[in-house]
Amino acid sequence: MIALLSLLCLSVLPASLSPGDHLGSVQADGESRDYRLHLPACYNGCRPLPVILAFHGMSANAKLLQRLIELDESASKYGFITVYPEGTGLGPLKGFKAGASTQKREERKPDDVRFVNALLDKLERTVCIDSNRVYATGLSNGAMMCYRLAVDMPHRLAAIAPVSGGLGTQGCLPKCPISVLHFHGTCDDVLPFNGPREKGILPQTYYPVPRTIQLFAEAAGVRYAPEIEVLPNTADDGTSVCIQTHLNHETGAEVVLVKIVGGGHQWPMHPLPFRYLGRGTTEIDANDMMCQFFLRHSLAQ
């Protein structure tokens, strides 16, 4: 019986898809779009595994994000497949059409929602994934892309974990419940916690973080005041962490804000090596936190 099951698995999926890194492409909105795929050591092509989509920031790329945030290690430990979609742009400096830019040239960019839908369709055909447990995370412009997907295709995502980026104003508001784990520094000078300034580093329009959290808590049907937890300081890095949890006790939907007091435009525990992005925190590990958060949520709930 075991031998028969193994034979069936091999007949369904390409033999080349073994644990490790893979490069792929998919046709979407009239263009060929690239992505990077990491299959954990536990992947055998038979047991469906959950998927984390990780979106890079503006003027970056998928390879750089994969290297800098080191998500694969934590994701593999918890049994996740990780996928890094590639944005569009000039050379290695790419971004996503996330609904936060007012610049006219944004209108000419490909539709990244179609890209993600096409990417998930291909993954369902070629990789043994659990379609009820697909999640999204991202940094900056990639975090904004998470919010756009949560609004435009909530039927395909079970939860999101944006880092240092809010809900863009050039689109619709959330209408369906989706669980959110949001990380943001109070000293973020790139995409400030309390909304865009008149002259910010990036010409982006987005809702302030507290308003973003409120909108998604309302969409999730939360009717209670949030629970507040201030974590004890364990690292002398100039930051502290306060966690605000909005929980729908009937459905289990969660909208959680991880406020990093004194933190900059950084990925917790895995800071980017650019001084202008501000201080990173080592009080928490965003990778472990989001993996544990994702495991609590599924579309089949």
Side-chain angles (χ1 to χ4, degrees):
M1 182 65 182
I2 295 177
L4 177 59
L5 180 59
S6 299
L7 181 61
L8 288 173
C9 291
L10 291 174
S11 68
V12 172
L13 298 173
S16 59
L17 289 180
S18 56
D21 290 330
H22 303 272
L23 302 178
S25 63
V26 63
Q27 288 292 321
D29 207 24
E31 293 192 11
S32 178
R33 299 290 300 274
D34 297 330
Y35 63 91
R36 303 179 68 87
L37 168 70
H38 180 81
L39 299 176
C42 65
Y43 180 80
N44 59 16
C46 296
R47 180 170 65 92
L49 295 183
V51 176
I52 301 175
L53 304 174
F55 295 89
H56 62 77
M58 187 67 71
S59 299
N61 56 70
K63 182 179 181 179
L64 182 64
L65 182 74
Q66 183 180 22
R67 179 172 63 85
L68 291 178
I69 67 173
E70 301 175 309
L71 178 59
D72 293 341
E73 181 178 353
S74 292
S76 296
K77 179 175 68 176
Y78 290 98
F80 288 92
I81 294 168
T82 42
V83 182
Y84 301 84
E86 192 82 82
T88 57
L90 298 175
L93 306 180
K94 297 179 170 64
F96 295 98
K97 189 174 180 180
S101 176
T102 58
Q103 296 182 351
K104 289 291 185 181
R105 65 179 182 227
E106 285 289 298
E107 299 176 3
R108 300 192 296 271
K109 285 189 174 182
D111 188 333
D112 284 311
V113 174
R114 291 184 184 177
F115 167 41
V116 176
N117 270 306
L119 172 56
L120 290 177
D121 288 344
K122 181 175 180 180
L123 291 175
E124 289 174 347
R125 294 192 305 268
T126 60
V127 183
C128 193
I129 70 170
D130 185 342
S131 298
N132 286 320
R133 295 192 295 160
V134 176
Y135 311 94
T137 187
L139 175 67
S140 193
N141 170 247
M144 293 176 165
M145 190 63 202
C146 293
Y147 277 118
R148 184 181 175 198
L149 297 177
V151 171
D152 289 354
M153 45 184 286
H155 60 290
R156 302 198 77 169
L157 293 180
I160 62 172
V163 180
S164 299
L167 172 66
T169 60
Q170 311 301 306
C172 299
L173 297 178
K175 297 181 178 64
C176 300
I178 187 170
S179 290
V180 177
L181 176 65
H182 183 117
F183 301 86
H184 215 112
T186 60
C187 295
D188 188 331
D189 288 331
V190 180
L191 296 173
F193 185 88
N194 289 312
R197 299 162 299 183
E198 185 175 351
K199 292 183 179 180
I201 293 178
L202 295 176
Q204 303 285 295
T205 59
Y206 60 96
Y207 291 99
V209 173
R211 178 58 174 158
T212 297
I213 296 300
Q214 179 188 5
L215 289 169
F216 278 85
E218 291 173 354
V222 176
R223 299 193 299 271
Y224 306 97
E227 299 176 3
I228 306 295
E229 180 185 10
V230 179
L231 300 186
N233 280 8
T234 59
D236 185 18
D237 61 9
T239 69
S240 59
V241 177
C242 177
I243 301 178
Q244 172 183 307
T245 301
H246 301 260
L247 175 63
N248 185 320
H249 294 273
E250 288 77 26
T251 67
E254 299 175 89
V255 178
V256 181
L257 169 61
V258 181
K259 183 165 65 173
I260 303 158
V261 180
H265 194 72
Q266 293 283 8
W267 194 279
M269 192 60 77
H270 304 270
L272 280 65
F274 308 111
R275 295 187 65 181
Y276 74 92
L277 296 179
R279 183 181 286 118
T281 186
T282 55
E283 296 285 350
I284 56 172
D285 189 331
N287 295 346
D288 274 353
M289 286 186 69
M290 68 177 62
C291 286
Q292 293 174 27
F293 181 81
F294 290 156
L295 288 176
R296 297 200 294 269
H297 299 286
S298 169
L299 287 176
Q301 287 177 327

